[in-house]
Amino acid sequence: MNRVVITGIGIVSPVGCTLSDFWSALVEARSGVGPITIIPTEGLLIRIAAQVLGFDPTAHFESRQANLLDRFARFAVVAARAAVRDAELEIDEPHALEAVTIVGSGVGGQVAMDDQYYKIYGQKHSKVHPLTIPRLMINAAASNISMDLGLKGPTYSVATACASGTHAIGQAFHLLRMGQVPFALAGGSEACLTFGTLKGWEALRVLTDDACRPFSKTRSGLVLGEGAAILVLETRDRALARGARVYAEILGFGMTADAADLTAANADGGARAMHAALRDSRANPEDIDYVNAHGTGTDLNDRTESRALRQVFGPHADRLAVSSSKGVLGHSLGAGGALEIAATALALHTQTIPPTANFEEPDPTCDLDFVPNVARQAQLRMAMSNSFAFGGLNAVVVLAHA
Amino acid sequence: MTADILHEVQSIMANKLNVPIERLAPDTKVGDLGAESLDIILVIFTLEEKFGIDIPLRAEDASRLGSGGNNTESENLALMTIAGIVQAVKEQVDAKAGL
């Protein structure tokens, strides 16, 4: 079996579209959450989100290509190009024929859907834009990356709501480990801040109207976000042979289903996914120094995840550093897991634990070391990244310092 | 008016939670009816639509009210019993009427 490493990271995020902007905001706990400005907010009860501001498609695409792509696919292509540049990866024809592209998205082309459906339902137009369907299809992100970069191997999208990006990276990792492919582009992309989607989240009554405060006693719900993260994954042999810089090694991937509640987090399902990822990594709980938690900032998720972590790590839980990136990045559904795996890889690469932003007060039901507000230098050997999705779908990746 | 609201609450809950209407007395606790968080959000949404009102409820409180949560944590929640839900609807209906 091949060892698999991360050699490139491309980011489109509410705190910037370069790796250094992304990482410095996470380390400094600088939140990308603010008043919604990318759409009109009249009629919205919740008017904050973590938006990718100043994203100018004309800076990245000529008009014909831009016209083909929904916002979520634009994010994905821009992140993929950045990842390839970051990895200094040459895409030559024999390898392009085998290269893998797997991209997660929770809800796909929501901007196309919202705009065009408003035309027919709201404005009583008789037609929608002819590109409505190719824009909204959930595989548009993977397909457009493949076309943009000429990648011709296994290419598909993964839709597991808030775990999509993690499932995508985990699946690409397994394909590489089995030795079937030379390199992969994998990650997640989401642009879900539309009027219709926000109303849908409002109706679920899980959004907060002030700030996302994961694991803090004062937490009051989640804040939606958007963005994309695409990683370049390669076999370690190939990366070393070409002298590539390695951010981290991917050791294992575990996935489970709760088969319980549609929306409520489930400690047992999350714990089984963490165990599965540890088994897949041939690692013990004691080997993990840091967990990038799912940590949404809802009462139930954070309580349940804390319990699941105790269940998996036992006494070692008291020596474990745990943080959530969602206070800074918001919850970007299918992109969330990919952005957080990128953060976890950077934590290992820089030996720095990004803190949990907006942490105000410890909660007795979340009794772990959440690295509140201030980053910490630490010796990090292995780290875990958790994603727990609506529909009871859990995905966990284990990374190692390389 | 309150009797009408009670009847509406009972009939919506019987339908959404799939329980016989006879089990839905005013002092019945929502958490004893096998309702999960999402069921309670659906019941409240249906009442809001029916009466054209907004009833404040956060998902975490819904999960505490439901059997998925710990009932003792819901002691202070106004929507814990059917009478509490009726009262919440009545308050919003009255507010809407300017009473």
Side-chain angles (χ1 to χ4, degrees):
Chain A
M1 287 206 299
N2 287 304
R3 292 170 70 176
V4 179
V5 294
I6 300 170
T7 57
I9 302 176
I11 297 288
V12 172
S13 88
V15 289
C17 298
T18 65
L19 264 190
S20 61
D21 286 350
F22 173 71
W23 184 239
S24 63
L26 285 170
V27 168
E28 292 160 22
R30 238 185 311 115
S31 180
V33 173
I36 293 175
T37 56
I38 60 169
I39 57 164
T41 54
E42 193 189 341
L44 291 177
L45 298 175
I46 304 290
R47 296 177 177 200
I48 58 165
Q51 305 158 98
V52 176
L53 296 172
F55 181 82
D56 176 12
T58 64
H60 303 284
F61 303 101
E62 45 84 18
S63 65
R64 183 183 172 277
Q65 191 184 10
N67 202 29
L68 294 168
L69 305 183
D70 183 87
R71 184 171 168 91
F72 95 108
R74 291 174 182 168
F75 285 175
V77 171
V78 169
R81 289 176 183 166
V84 169
R85 269 198 312 276
D86 185 51
E88 298 181 355
L89 185 71
E90 297 283 342
I91 302 175
D92 51 356
E93 186 61 18
H95 289 120
L97 289 173
E98 297 175 321
V100 171
T101 310
I102 308 177
V103 183
S105 182
V107 290
Q110 286 296 312
V111 176
M113 216 184 287
D114 208 67
D115 287 353
Q116 300 304 319
Y117 290 179
Y118 178 66
K119 278 190 185 171
I120 46 174
Y121 296 137
Q123 300 179 314
K124 306 293 177 195
H125 282 215
S126 62
K127 286 182 191 160
V128 297
H129 193 280
L131 292 170
T132 302
I133 300 299
R135 282 178 187 163
L136 68 79
M137 63 191 190
I138 213 158
N139 60 305
S143 295
N144 281 292
I145 289 173
S146 131
M147 286 184 277
D148 194 75
L149 298 172
L151 307 176
K152 299 176 181 173
T155 297
Y156 58 94
S157 60
V158 177
T160 51
C162 315
S164 306
T166 308
H167 274 106
I169 291 167
Q171 297 245 289
F173 157 67
H174 277 170
L175 283 173
L176 281 158
R177 191 168 68 174
M178 286 189 296
Q180 298 181 340
V181 294
F183 68 89
L185 264 68
S189 187
E190 204 78 81
C192 54
L193 302 176
T194 65
F195 188 76
T197 317
L198 285 160
K199 291 305 285 181
W201 281 93
E202 264 179 21
L204 271 174
R205 300 171 188 252
V206 294
L207 298 180
T208 178
D209 60 3
D210 55 1
C212 174
R213 301 185 192 87
F215 300 110
S216 175
K217 192 170 187 201
T218 53
R219 68 191 180 277
S220 50
L222 63 86
V223 175
L224 286 179
E226 60 173 356
I230 303 290
L231 310 184
V232 175
L233 311 184
E234 294 179 75
T235 61
R236 185 167 173 272
D237 290 347
R238 185 180 193 277
L240 294 182
R242 73 177 186 91
R245 179 234 9 249
V246 172
Y247 287 111
E249 178 171 358
I250 305 187
L251 290 186
F253 172 48
M255 44 184 165
T256 61
D258 298 338
D261 195 272
L262 192 58
T263 55
N266 176 293
D268 181 56
R272 284 189 299 109
M274 288 188 251
H275 277 303
L278 287 169
R279 268 199 312 277
D280 196 48
S281 310
R282 300 177 196 281
N284 297 312
E286 294 73 26
D287 297 327
I288 304 290
D289 294 312
Y290 166 60
V291 176
N292 186 292
H294 188 57
T296 58
T298 65
D299 176 57
L300 188 64
N301 175 83
D302 294 0
R303 204 156 27 99
T304 309
E305 186 169 11
S306 300
R307 201 164 69 238
L309 284 163
R310 284 230 167 259
Q311 207 172 307
V312 170
F313 288 95
H316 183 64
D318 291 320
R319 291 189 291 276
L320 199 61
V322 179
S323 71
S324 165
S325 303
K326 290 191 172 73
V328 172
L329 301 173
H331 190 358
S332 54
L333 314 183
L339 287 161
E340 291 160 18
I341 289 171
T344 308
L346 291 169
L348 287 161
H349 187 57
T350 60
Q351 297 283 291
T352 305
I353 301 168
T356 300
N358 302 328
F359 191 93
E360 293 177 334
E361 196 185 328
D363 176 347
T365 67
C366 302
D367 56 346
L368 296 163
D369 173 7
F370 294 110
V371 195
N373 303 317
V374 180
R376 195 182 294 164
Q377 301 291 320
Q379 210 184 351
L380 303 177
R381 299 161 299 159
M382 291 184 200
M384 174 182 270
S385 180
N386 286 345
S387 296
F388 305 139
F390 274 4
L393 309 182
N394 312 299
V396 175
V397 168
V398 172
L399 305 179
H401 177 60
Chain B
M1 184 59 201
T2 308
D4 292 348
I5 296 174
L6 174 63
H7 179 73
E8 203 61 60
V9 170
Q10 287 170 320
S11 106
I12 286 168
M13 289 184 74
N15 177 272
K16 296 287 172 200
L17 306 180
N18 199 22
V19 294
I21 208 155
E22 301 77 54
R23 279 187 62 193
L24 302 174
D27 62 350
T28 301
K29 285 186 178 176
V30 177
D32 295 336
L33 295 169
E36 302 286 346
S37 155
L38 213 48
D39 297 313
I40 294 165
I41 287 173
L42 279 174
V43 166
I44 296 300
F45 168 74
T46 309
L47 287 164
E48 287 179 332
E49 291 283 281
K50 177 82 195 172
F51 290 98
I53 54 172
D54 291 316
I55 301 172
L57 171 68
R58 304 221 330 251
E60 26 247 62
D61 295 330
S63 72
R64 290 194 182 112
L65 288 163
S67 54
N70 179 348
N71 250 332
T72 59
E73 290 178 49
S74 67
E75 290 302 327
N76 295 323
L77 289 165
L79 306 176
M80 194 175 68
T81 61
I82 288 179
I85 294 173
V86 170
Q87 181 58 29
V89 172
K90 187 174 181 314
E91 279 168 16
Q92 298 300 329
V93 169
D94 288 351
K96 191 182 160 201
L99 296 176

